[in-house]
Amino acid sequence: MESAHYKPAIHVQSLSKSFGEQKVLNRLDLEVARGETLTVLGRSGTGKSVLLKLIIGLQKPDDGEIEINGEAITKLSLDKLNAVRKTMGFLFQQAALYDSLTVEANVAFPLQRHTRMSERERRDRARQLLARVGMDDAVNKMPGDLSGGMKKRVGLARALALDPKIMLLDEPTAGLDPITADEINQLIRDLQQERQISSIVVTHDMRSVKVVADRIAMLNEGRIIIEGTFEDLKQSDHPMIAKFMQESGEVS
């Protein structure tokens, strides 16, 4: 008998989603093993961010199944879905910090909503996480005072607040200069290895892929057209993949 321990962290089967006439995902299948980081590549508008929003339950699929640690979530009540969401951390593309809250209060916000920690415990936990992402000197700053890279670090700390088993990261290096992007990539990789988190990282940044990915999946026309390593992508003769790699400067 198969043990639940061996079930994938994320299992997506025949997932479909349309917006009006536009079919964004078309019977998509995807798995992420426990402790694995899967990077999802694809050109703009291919449904990468939609996939993440479906997995965390911010949107509902038209058809198909999503299992998180063996539990089907597509038909759960909101209360039960929220319980599953607590096991997942989400880093939004623009970090999505609350402008009216300090950096420390942003990171403590999930703890205030979802735990019974005292104010002091929440503060200590937030400061611990901010120190881990190199933002311990910015606890009292407001989001408007932060650079793009700093916002991503704070967003990452907040995503880790509830000690998630799964992380979903939407374009974590978008809009950042190469040096800052490299720092964020290495931070993501270090945190994944420390905590054995299962992750999906949506990106179009090949530098990011090389650092954070255990496995890569490329999305095109609503489906995964290749899964494998970076070398598998480089050697693929699929015209869409070859064009993407060329545009990314990975092949001449």
Side-chain angles (χ1 to χ4, degrees), residues 145-165:
D145 299 326
L146 305 181
S147 67
M150 292 166 80
K151 287 178 181 178
K152 290 286 175 76
R153 287 174 183 269
V154 176
L156 193 53
R158 186 178 63 185
L160 291 166
L162 296 175
D163 199 18
K165 306 301 180 193

Side-chain angles (χ1 to χ4, degrees), residues 205-234:
D205 180 359
M206 297 306 294
R207 291 165 66 101
S208 187
V209 171
K210 290 176 183 177
V211 176
V212 306
D214 294 317
R215 187 163 53 94
I216 303 163
M218 180 165 280
L219 191 58
N220 186 53
E221 295 183 351
R223 292 191 178 187
I224 301 296
I225 57 173
I226 188 173
E227 290 183 61
T229 64
F230 183 75
E231 285 303 313
D232 292 333
L233 264 71
K234 284 183 74 171

Side-chain angles (χ1 to χ4, degrees), residues 111-143:
L111 301 171
Q112 184 176 355
R113 286 197 65 183
H114 300 299
T115 76
R116 295 183 177 181
M117 285 183 175
S118 68
E119 184 178 351
R120 180 170 181 171
E121 288 171 331
R122 294 196 301 268
R123 185 192 65 203
D124 289 348
R125 172 73 172 155
R127 291 191 175 197
Q128 176 193 27
L129 288 166
L130 286 165
R132 182 61 193 85
V133 301
M135 291 295 291
D136 44 329
D137 60 348
V139 292
N140 295 317
K141 288 188 176 180
M142 304 301 288

